[in-house]
Amino acid sequence: MHIRHDGRVALVTGAAQGIGQAIAKGLQEGGARVHVADRDARGVTGFATAHDLTAHVLDVSERKAAADVVHAIVAREGGLDILVNAAGGVRGQVGRPIEEVSEDDWRAIFQANVDGAFWLAQAVATPMRQAGFGRIVNIASGAGLRPSLTGIQAYTAAKHALVGLTKQLSQDLGRFGITCNAIAPGFVRSNPATERQWESYGAEGQARLVGSIHTRRLGTADDIAAAVLFLASAKAGWISGQIVSVDGGRS
Ligand SMILES: NC(=O)c1ccc[n+]([C@@H]2O[C@H](COP(=O)([O-])OP(=O)(O)OC[C@H]3O[C@@H](n4cnc5c(N)ncnc54)[C@H](O)[C@@H]3O)[C@@H](O)[C@H]2O)c1
């Protein structure tokens, strides 16, 4: 089976870091015209320039700005077939006792991981419906299915919310040829925050983590991208509302 995306137009958010970048590159290799978006202007424009993609500097939590980016892509390309919501993460936070979490910290994580995915899904729904085809893939987390390795309450709650949103969007949009699925990645050393997290485990903790993974290795951004590329393809047209754990198997 060949997974191709020829002629498709894709938008990948969170593409200033590892997982979003691996997904964008994979879609481009599959023949899609790829737009990338991130609030990190330097990161996303540098990546786009290096790989001949189109960059959008966007804070996905701003509803109007998110809609404007979608409208600009549709005006230029004639449609938008694939949306991958990879923006999110822990926004520089670490696990803390519940009493120490500020309102701003709580909201920043929800805005990045949940609000943005909804604003963008809302904006792409009309063009995808008109085309009778759409693929929405949300990058959730193992923290969307169980407590988080990070210990960050807002992150766990936000990723659980993203899992719920994925199921609801699937029910709402499936009849129009639009599927919506989520990937729940295991731990991937894909950004400075995960590097710090990995270091903090120490040799013993690292061995324990790897030992709890059935395949006995950490995953890579390309492992996550591979599942996204399939769900974003025409071949995955009868898979919707699913949360696919890509984590090497966890004990
Ligand atoms: N790395 C892991 O171990 C892991 C595990 C499970 C899930 N995830 C999820 O995978 C996705 C990609 O993670 P990653 O490790 O590549 O990088 P990451 O978690 O550092 O962040 C992803 C990107 O999102 C961008 N971003 C954050 N808030 C934004 C906003 N409001 N608007 C626009 N962009 C924003 C950041 O600038 C960054 O480039 C995230 O959603 C993350 O939660 C990662």
Side-chain angles (χ1 to χ4, degrees):
M1 181 169 65
H2 293 288
I3 305 294
R4 297 288 308 172
H5 304 93
D6 296 296
R8 302 292 187 200
V9 178
L11 170 61
V12 182
T13 70
Q17 298 282 354
I19 291 176
Q21 292 188 344
I23 295 166
K25 280 192 272 184
L27 288 167
Q28 184 186 42
E29 282 162 19
R33 299 197 295 284
V34 181
H35 292 247
V36 287
D38 204 290
R39 71 199 298 275
D40 172 356
R42 224 171 115 205
V44 75
T45 51
F47 172 66
T49 305
H51 295 277
D52 201 19
L53 307 166
T54 307
H56 303 267
V57 178
L58 170 69
D59 183 333
V60 295
S61 67
E62 292 175 14
R63 184 184 186 198
K64 184 174 178 311
D68 287 348
V69 164
V70 169
H71 294 152
I73 295 170
V74 172
R76 177 170 153 180
E77 305 280 6
L80 209 179
D81 309 293
I82 299 166
L83 167 65
V84 182
N85 287 307
V90 299
R91 302 298 318 275
Q93 298 180 36
V94 293
R96 277 164 298 170
I98 189 166
E99 295 85 353
E100 293 176 19
V101 178
S102 73
E103 185 172 342
D104 284 350
D105 289 345
W106 175 267
R107 291 202 192 288
I109 286 188
F110 263 78
Q111 285 169 348
N113 288 279
V114 189
D115 296 13
F118 185 65
W119 302 143
L120 283 162
Q122 202 174 38
V124 301
T126 301
M128 286 183 176
R129 198 184 299 139
Q130 282 165 353
F133 178 94
R135 297 282 181 268
I136 300 173
V137 184
N138 295 325
I139 307 303
S141 172
L145 303 170
R146 63 188 84 87
S148 173
L149 284 176
T150 65
I152 301 172
Q153 301 86 352
Y155 186 65
T156 308
K159 290 302 195 186
H160 275 71
L162 187 59
V163 163
L165 177 64
T166 300
K167 295 175 184 174
Q168 189 63 50
L169 290 175
S170 169
Q171 188 185 59
D172 291 355
L173 301 175
R175 76 199 73 175
F176 306 113
I178 305 167
T179 65
C180 183
N181 293 287
I183 303 294
F187 181 73
V188 177
R189 293 170 62 190
S190 55
N191 62 58
T194 50
E195 282 304 322
R196 283 193 298 274
Q197 196 179 334
W198 177 247
E199 291 306 320
S200 77
Y201 293 152
E204 220 173 276
Q206 292 172 359
R208 209 168 29 247
L209 175 61
V210 174
S212 72
I213 299 171
H214 296 179
T215 55
R216 297 292 191 272
R217 70 166 175 88
L218 293 185
T220 65
D222 285 335
D223 287 320
I224 309 306
V228 176
L229 297 182
F230 172 60
L231 291 173
S233 74
K235 301 279 188 198
W238 214 44
I239 302 173
S240 196
Q242 302 305 303
I243 317 303
V244 181
S245 289
V246 181
D247 60 3
R250 291 297 307 279
S251 303

